Amino acid sequence: MRLDAAIASATAHLGDVSESARLDAEILLSTSIDMPRSYLFAHPEDELDSLSLERFETLLARRLDGEPIAYITGRREFWSHELQVSPATLVPRPETEVLVDLALQTIPHDANWQILDLGTGSGAIAIAIASERPLCDITATDISADALAIAAGNAREASLGNTSFIEGRWTTPVRDRCFELIVSNPPYVSDDDEALSGLRFEPRSALASGADGLDDIRILASDCAAILTPGGWLMLEHGATQQTEVARLLSESGWVDIACHNDLVGQPRVTVARRNVTQATIKPSETS
Ligand code: GLN
């Protein structure tokens, strides 16, 4: 079969499961022949050999079964970095680039801040910030050792020398540190959300966060002030209907200058707050 015919036939099949059927078909085909996507357009008349055809059919079957394209190829682009992802990590979402953008608007170009990314997953946020602010040190934590290994590998691949990765739950492994900025895309989906019942590939632990989806944000709202410099920043991604509740939780814990920002499709997505200079910081309990 010719490359262009293979794309056309796969695109027709993928129409039912994917909103980006043609792009998916091209990515799967280029992965099968181990060539960049541009090769497909330069050589549409090339014939697929039987081994490549077999690989293509296997990958196509996985996509038709609903597996995300990023897990099939093991890669996903985020903030111009080609990141490795695995089923131990969430596939980075475009809306999370808003969080990166807000962080970069806040960090001066010549700053040498200590920055913390809590629950880093594939390392997407930490790596994007580290590459844009080479004088800053970015520490990233995650409770999953498997996810951290992926994140550290991504930082190495991006040739970054200003990132470090520490295993542990939320602020637990960095309680003796002090940061100027903390960012996090924590799990924020409520336990009864339909998206979770249909979840077969991504780690539930990276998405689900209790009955109202706010269990982890509650922990961050109460524990982050203790490791932030007075006036330091906290930036949290959250669900499109959670902004009022997130603002209330932060305000109850003494945070100030609380503001919510929309994502690229106009949905409330990231709330920014500052540690009050006089904010009482209770040492977080060892169990949280
Ligand atoms: N935005 C993600 C989704 O809807 C959720 C990410 C998260 O819980 N951190 O799938």
Side-chain angles (χ1 to χ4, degrees), residues 60-212:
L60 188 59
R62 286 170 65 184
R63 185 69 192 108
L64 287 168
D65 185 42
E67 188 169 347
I69 201 94
Y71 288 159
I72 300 174
T73 63
R75 326 278 313 164
R76 168 56 57 100
E77 191 169 315
F78 184 86
W79 203 268
S80 80
H81 293 278
E82 178 82 4
L83 301 177
Q84 195 192 338
V85 296
S86 85
T89 68
L90 202 64
V91 177
R93 313 279 205 258
E95 58 264 32
T96 301
E97 295 197 342
V98 172
L99 175 56
V100 173
D101 204 26
L102 286 164
L104 295 177
Q105 285 174 35
T106 304
I107 314 163
H109 280 271
D110 58 352
N112 57 355
W113 287 8
Q114 295 291 316
I115 298 171
L116 177 64
D117 174 19
L118 291 171
T120 195
S122 65
I125 299 169
I127 287 165
I129 296 175
S131 66
E132 299 281 350
R133 293 292 183 273
L135 301 179
C136 293
D137 274 319
I138 323 296
T139 302
T141 70
D142 205 287
I143 199 167
S144 158
D146 291 343
L148 271 188
I150 298 278
N154 282 329
R156 267 196 307 279
E157 211 166 301
S159 305
L160 295 172
N162 57 338
T163 50
S164 46
F165 297 89
I166 312 180
E167 188 182 333
R169 182 167 158 76
W170 299 129
T171 60
T172 315
V174 287
R175 290 216 168 133
D176 54 348
R177 301 269 310 271
C178 184
F179 300 90
E180 271 89 12
L181 165 67
I182 300 177
V183 291
S184 183
N185 173 16
Y188 55 71
V189 177
S190 52
D191 283 342
D192 63 356
D193 194 299
E194 295 184 344
L196 294 179
S197 50
L199 199 71
R200 289 189 298 141
F201 298 99
E202 291 190 292
R204 188 185 162 94
S205 59
L207 292 164
S209 191
D212 61 0

